[in-house]
Amino acid sequence: MGMNIYDISKKAGVSIATVSRVLNNSPSVSTKTRNKILSIIEESGYMPNAYARGLGLNSMNTIGILCADSSDIYLANAVFYLERELKNNGYNSILCCTGYEPKDKENCLKLLLSKKVDALILVGSNFVEKTATDNNYILEAANQVPIMLINGYLKAPNIYCILCDEHQAVYDITDKLIKNDYSDPIFLYRLLSFSGIQKKDGFLQAIQENNIENENRVYECSGDVTDIKNYLISLYKSGRHFNGIIASDDEIAIGAVKFAKAMKLSIPKNISIVGHNNSKLAKCCEPELTSIDNKLETICIQTVLTLMRIFNNENVAGRTVFSADLVLRETTNLRS
Amino acid sequence: MGMNIYDISKKAGVSIATVSRVLNNSPSVSTKTRNKILSIIEESGYMPNAYARGLGLNSMNTIGILCADSSDIYLANAVFYLERELKNNGYNSILCCTGYEPKDKENCLKLLLSKKVDALILVGSNFVEKTATDNNYILEAANQVPIMLINGYLKAPNIYCILCDEHQAVYDITDKLIKNDYSDPIFLYRLLSFSGIQKKDGFLQAIQENNIENENRVYECSGDVTDIKNYLISLYKSGRHFNGIIASDDEIAIGAVKFAKAMKLSIPKNISIVGHNNSKLAKCCEPELTSIDNKLETICIQTVLTLMRIFNNENVAGRTVFSADLVLRETTNLRS
DNA sequence: TTGTAGGCGTTATCAG
DNA sequence: CTGATAACGCCTACAA
C-alpha cells in the first residue's frame, strides 16, 4: 500500500509534476496523459499523503471544534450542524471536549493549535470567562488562526462572534407572562456564562420595568431533572409561592414541570413554565414545554459561512446577532 | 510566528538534531544544553510543526470517529466518551457524521482514510448492512487501519467489535413482562440494523418460548414523540389492544407513554412500557421510564482500551460483549 | 504540455 | 553527547 507519487509517475512514464497536476486538476495536462494517469491511480488505489500535502500547503483543511461537553443535547446539536457545514465546504472537524474548568479549556485549545487546525470554533458561551484576563489565551490564539465564538462575545481582532439575542428573548417572555397575570415569576439558571448573564439580565429588566419586587427571583440550580424538582419543592415549601418559571434550559424546565405536578399545581393554570433551547426534551415533556428557540442551526450555518468568507479574505462582521423565536406549547397559555 | 527547528537551533548554537532530541525527550542530551534549548523554546513560543512530524512518523495521532448522526442522544454520548478516552491516551478525534445512506457512509469513511487517521471507530450498529457486499468497503478499510465497531458485528481481520448483548436484554425483559401477566406485548423499532435485529429476535424468542401468538407483535415506526404517539393511537383504535410495549429506544417509549395517557390507560397498571438506552430522556418522562441500559460508557472505554492494545501489538479479542442492565423505574411494576 | 529541482519541518541514522 | 544528512511525499516555480 505504501504508494507514492513517484510510483505512479513511473508506471505512467511521466514525471511526478504531471501526476501532481492531475491530482490537483490543473488544466494544463493533455487529455491523453491525464486519462492514463487517472486510470493508473484508480487501479493502484493510490491516495496522496495528506501529511505531505499539509506540510507543503500549510493546511490540512481541518477545523477545531471546542465545546465543554458534547453529550449535552444543545452542544451536541451544535457540533452536528457545524460538522455538517464544514464537511460540505471541504473541511474536517477535530472535536475536543474541554469540560468546564478554565485550565482545561485552555489546554484543549492549545492542543488543537498544536495540531495546526485552520481555525477554531468555540461552542457555548461558557468559553468567555467573566474575569477578562482569563480570556487572554483566546486572544493569543487569535493571532494564529481565526476564532469563531458561538453564543459568546469577545471583542478582539480575528475573533468572530455569532450569537442569539437571549436578553431580548427572555425579556419578552417575562414581560408577556407578567402582563398575563403571572406576575410572580422566578428565573432558574445553571451557570452565569455569557449567555446565562444575558438571560438573567433580560429577566431582571422585565421585572424592573413592570415595577415588581426583585428580591428572591433568581436562583441557581444544578443536577438532573430530579434534583431540580426537589430543589423547587423545598423552595416552594419554604414559602416562596411563585407562579411562573423561566428556565435557562429545557432540562431545568422539565424539573419545574415535575415540581408543579408534585405540588398539584395545574399547568398552565396555576403556574406557567418556559424552557430554553427548544430541544428534543421540550416535546418529550408532558405537558409539552413552551421554549425559547435560539436558532442554533441558523447560527451554526452562519458561523461556517463567515469562516469561509474569512478564508477567502472577504470582509466580515465581528459580531452577528440573530433574534430568538418563542415556541408556544402547553406549559403557558399565551398566544402568539 | 513562522518558527522552525532551525531557528531554535541557531539561537541555541546547536544543531537541529539536538533540538529534536530535546523535543522528543531523548535522554542523551546534557542537562545544560537541554535547559538552554528549553528556555529558548519557551520564550520564542515555538511549536513543532505537526504536519512535518506526521510526515516523518506517518501518524498524527488522530482517530476517525464515524457515526450516522451525532445529534442523536445515544450517539452523542458515545462520541463524548470516545473523545474523552482517546484524548486521555494522546489521540485526537476527527468526527464525521455520515447520515444513514450506505453510499454516504462509504464516502465519509474514505474521506477519513484519506486524512490518514490511525484507526477508525464506527459508532452504531447501523454501519453493518444486511447485504454482505455492502460492507465490503469496511473490510477494505481494515487493510489500512484497525476498525473498531461499536454495537455492530463483522467478522474479519483487523476489525474489532465491542457490543452489548441486546438480544439477551430484550429477551429477559419480555419474558419477565409476560410472566407478570403482561402477556400481550408488542415491540417497536425504527431500524433493523444489527442491534435492531438483536432486539427484535430477543423479543420474538421470548414470545415463542412462552407460546404466545407471534402475529401483529412487531411494528416499525418513525418520527418524533408525537408521531409515535399518533401511530400507536391509530393502532390501538384499530383494535390491537396490547398491554406491554418494548421500545428500541427511549424516545419511542416516551411516545408510547403519551399514547397510553391519551388513551387513559394507567401505567403500569394497564400497560407496561420499557425503553432502551437509559438516556436522559428516561428521567424526563413522567412516569419515569424503565429502560435497558446498554453500558455505553463501558463499551466506549473498552473500545479505546482495545485500540491502544492493538497499537501496542498486544493480543486482543475480535469481539467483546457486555451484558446489559435493566433499570427499573415507574413504567413497569417489576421488581429487581 | 512536460520535466527538474528546491522547499515544506520533522525524525532518525550514522559518524564523530 | 552532538552534528551532518538523508529520508518522508507533495507542490510549484522555473526551464525546456
Side-chain angles (χ1 to χ4, degrees):
Chain A
M1 265 290 127
M3 285 244 159
N4 62 25
I5 202 171
Y6 285 92
D7 299 323
I8 303 297
S9 75
K10 265 177 215 152
K11 287 198 189 184
V14 297
S15 75
I16 60 162
T18 304
V19 177
S20 178
R21 286 188 190 100
V22 170
L23 253 22
N24 295 287
N25 292 316
S26 159
S28 62
V29 180
S30 75
T31 316
K32 200 178 155 189
T33 26
R34 156 166 286 116
N35 287 338
K36 181 169 188 182
I37 293 173
L38 282 178
S39 74
I40 290 177
I41 288 177
E42 174 72 18
E43 74 184 29
S44 66
Y46 163 75
M47 270 180 178
N49 182 305
Y51 304 146
R53 190 173 236 164
L55 181 56
L57 300 178
N58 201 32
S59 163
M60 271 183 66
N61 290 312
T62 48
I63 306 296
I65 300 181
L66 284 159
C67 73
D69 173 2
S70 70
S71 70
D72 175 277
I73 295 184
Y74 182 72
L75 297 175
N77 273 284
V79 169
F80 173 76
Y81 294 132
L82 289 170
E83 192 275 336
R84 183 187 68 192
E85 297 301 313
L86 289 169
K87 176 147 45 62
N88 287 343
N89 283 278
Y91 286 82
N92 280 109
S93 305
I94 301 194
L95 176 66
C96 208
C97 300
T98 66
Y100 292 91
E101 286 301 315
K103 202 65 201 162
D104 293 332
K105 294 185 212 165
E106 180 170 351
N107 287 338
C108 283
L109 182 141
K110 288 188 168 157
L111 178 63
L112 286 188
L113 238 33
S114 79
K115 291 278 171 152
K116 289 186 76 66
V117 293
D118 295 312
L120 246 20
I121 304 181
L122 313 194
V123 190
S125 67
N126 60 292
F127 272 97
V128 181
E129 305 292 338
K130 273 168 292 185
T131 320
T133 52
D134 284 349
N135 298 315
N136 280 347
Y137 74 101
I138 301 181
L139 305 188
E140 279 172 34
N143 289 324
Q144 305 190 40
V145 293
I147 308 265
M148 312 301 295
L149 220 53
I150 289 189
N151 273 348
Y153 184 57
L154 215 49
K155 188 173 168 56
N158 216 22
I159 299 186
Y160 306 87
C161 308
I162 321 281
L163 30 87
C164 176
D165 191 349
E166 320 263 22
H167 181 107
Q168 187 69 42
V170 175
Y171 171 84
D172 286 346
I173 182 65
T174 309
D175 186 64
K176 222 171 203 169
L177 240 40
I178 294 171
K179 294 200 163 51
N180 277 270
D181 289 332
Y182 294 89
S183 55
D184 192 356
I186 65 171
F187 176 76
L188 298 174
Y189 69 94
R190 287 180 198 273
L191 287 173
L192 283 187
S193 62
F194 177 82
S195 77
I197 293 171
Q198 298 295 305
K199 295 172 190 173
K200 188 195 68 168
D201 289 352
F203 174 80
L204 287 176
Q205 188 187 330
I207 295 297
Q208 196 188 337
E209 291 187 5
N210 283 281
N211 295 311
I212 292 177
E213 170 66 51
N214 67 0
E215 299 236 331
N216 299 322
R217 288 224 174 271
V218 174
Y219 298 93
E220 182 185 344
C221 55
S222 62
D224 73 1
V225 169
T226 310
D227 299 324
I228 308 285
K229 174 179 103 176
N230 292 334
Y231 174 76
L232 286 172
I233 289 176
S234 65
L235 182 64
Y236 200 82
K237 283 188 173 166
S238 79
R240 180 70 187 87
H241 287 190
F242 40 85
N243 60 12
I245 299 177
I246 314 279
S248 73
D249 67 50
D250 287 334
E251 194 176 8
I252 296 177
I254 291 182
V257 167
K258 296 210 167 202
F259 142 78
K261 287 183 176 177
M263 304 307 301
K264 312 258 191 242
L265 299 171
S266 159
I267 308 170
K269 190 160 173 281
N270 301 330
I271 187 167
S272 284
I273 298 171
V274 179
H276 207 116
N277 293 349
N278 191 29
S279 65
K280 179 168 277 187
L281 297 180
K283 293 202 71 177
C284 287
C285 186
E286 174 134 334
E288 290 184 12
L289 221 50
T290 290
S291 185
I292 293 171
D293 185 326
N294 42 20
K295 303 279 198 50
L296 185 58
E297 185 171 11
T298 305
I299 287 178
C300 292
I301 291 174
Q302 180 68 30
T303 298
V304 174
L305 192 65
T306 305
L307 183 56
M308 295 304 126
R309 291 209 180 114
I310 294 167
F311 287 153
N312 215 20
N313 286 316
E314 292 177 43
N315 216 6
V316 140
R319 187 165 189 258
T320 308
V321 181
F322 293 96
S323 60
D325 284 342
L326 179 64
V327 179
L328 295 172
R329 295 205 185 84
E330 302 164 357
T331 55
T332 55
N333 58 9
L334 303 172
R335 300 192 191 162
S336 52
Chain B
M1 267 291 127
M3 285 243 158
N4 62 26
I5 202 170
Y6 284 92
D7 299 324
I8 304 297
S9 75
K10 265 177 215 152
K11 288 199 189 185
V14 297
S15 74
I16 59 163
T18 304
V19 178
S20 178
R21 286 189 191 100
V22 171
L23 254 20
N24 295 286
N25 292 315
S26 159
S28 61
V29 180
S30 76
T31 316
K32 199 178 155 189
T33 27
R34 156 167 285 117
N35 287 337
K36 182 168 189 183
I37 292 173
L38 281 177
S39 75
I40 290 177
I41 288 177
E42 174 72 19
E43 74 185 28
S44 65
Y46 162 76
M47 268 181 179
N49 182 304
Y51 305 145
R53 191 171 234 165
L55 181 57
L57 300 177
N58 200 32
S59 162
M60 272 183 65
N61 290 312
T62 49
I63 307 295
I65 300 181
L66 284 159
C67 73
D69 173 2
S70 70
S71 71
D72 175 277
I73 296 183
Y74 181 72
L75 296 176
N77 272 286
V79 169
F80 173 77
Y81 295 132
L82 289 170
E83 192 276 335
R84 183 187 69 193
E85 296 301 312
L86 288 169
K87 175 146 47 61
N88 286 343
N89 282 278
Y91 286 82
N92 279 109
S93 305
I94 302 193
L95 176 65
C96 208
C97 301
T98 65
Y100 291 91
E101 287 300 315
K103 201 64 200 164
D104 293 332
K105 293 185 212 166
E106 180 170 351
N107 287 337
C108 283
L109 180 141
K110 288 187 169 158
L111 177 64
L112 286 188
L113 238 31
S114 79
K115 291 278 170 152
K116 289 188 74 66
V117 294
D118 295 311
L120 246 20
I121 303 180
L122 313 194
V123 190
S125 68
N126 60 292
F127 271 97
V128 181
E129 305 293 338
K130 272 167 292 183
T131 321
T133 53
D134 284 350
N135 298 316
N136 279 346
Y137 75 101
I138 301 181
L139 304 190
E140 280 171 34
N143 289 323
Q144 304 191 40
V145 293
I147 308 265
M148 312 301 294
L149 221 52
I150 290 189
N151 273 348
Y153 184 56
L154 214 51
K155 188 173 168 56
N158 216 22
I159 298 186
Y160 305 87
C161 308
I162 322 281
L163 30 89
C164 176
D165 192 349
E166 320 265 22
H167 181 107
Q168 187 69 41
V170 176
Y171 170 85
D172 286 346
I173 181 66
T174 308
D175 187 64
K176 223 173 205 170
L177 241 40
I178 293 171
K179 294 199 162 52
N180 277 271
D181 288 333
Y182 294 89
S183 56
D184 192 357
I186 64 171
F187 177 75
L188 298 174
Y189 70 93
R190 289 179 196 274
L191 286 173
L192 284 186
S193 63
F194 176 82
S195 76
I197 292 171
Q198 297 295 305
K199 295 172 190 173
K200 188 195 69 169
D201 289 352
F203 175 79
L204 287 176
Q205 188 186 330
I207 294 298
Q208 197 188 337
E209 292 187 2
N210 283 281
N211 296 311
I212 292 177
E213 170 66 51
N214 67 0
E215 299 237 330
N216 300 321
R217 285 222 178 272
V218 174
Y219 298 93
E220 181 185 343
C221 56
S222 62
D224 72 1
V225 169
T226 311
D227 300 324
I228 308 285
K229 174 178 101 175
N230 292 334
Y231 173 76
L232 287 172
I233 289 177
S234 65
L235 181 64
Y236 200 81
K237 283 188 173 165
S238 79
R240 181 70 187 86
H241 286 190
F242 41 84
N243 61 9
I245 298 178
I246 314 281
S248 73
D249 67 48
D250 286 336
E251 194 177 7
I252 295 177
I254 290 183
V257 167
K258 296 210 167 202
F259 141 79
K261 287 184 177 177
M263 305 272 50
K264 312 258 191 241
L265 299 172
S266 158
I267 308 170
K269 189 160 172 281
N270 301 329
I271 187 167
S272 285
I273 298 172
V274 180
H276 207 117
N277 293 350
N278 191 29
S279 65
K280 180 168 276 187
L281 297 180
K283 292 203 72 177
C284 287
C285 186
E286 176 137 332
E288 290 184 13
L289 220 51
T290 289
S291 185
I292 293 170
D293 186 325
N294 42 20
K295 305 279 196 52
L296 185 58
E297 185 170 12
T298 304
I299 286 178
C300 292
I301 291 174
Q302 180 67 31
T303 298
V304 174
L305 192 65
T306 304
L307 183 57
M308 295 305 126
R309 290 208 181 115
I310 294 168
F311 287 153
N312 216 19
N313 287 316
E314 292 177 42
N315 216 6
V316 140
R319 187 165 189 258
T320 308
V321 181
F322 293 97
S323 60
D325 283 343
L326 179 64
V327 180
L328 295 172
R329 295 205 186 84
E330 303 163 356
T331 54
T332 55
N333 58 9
L334 303 172
R335 299 189 191 165
S336 51

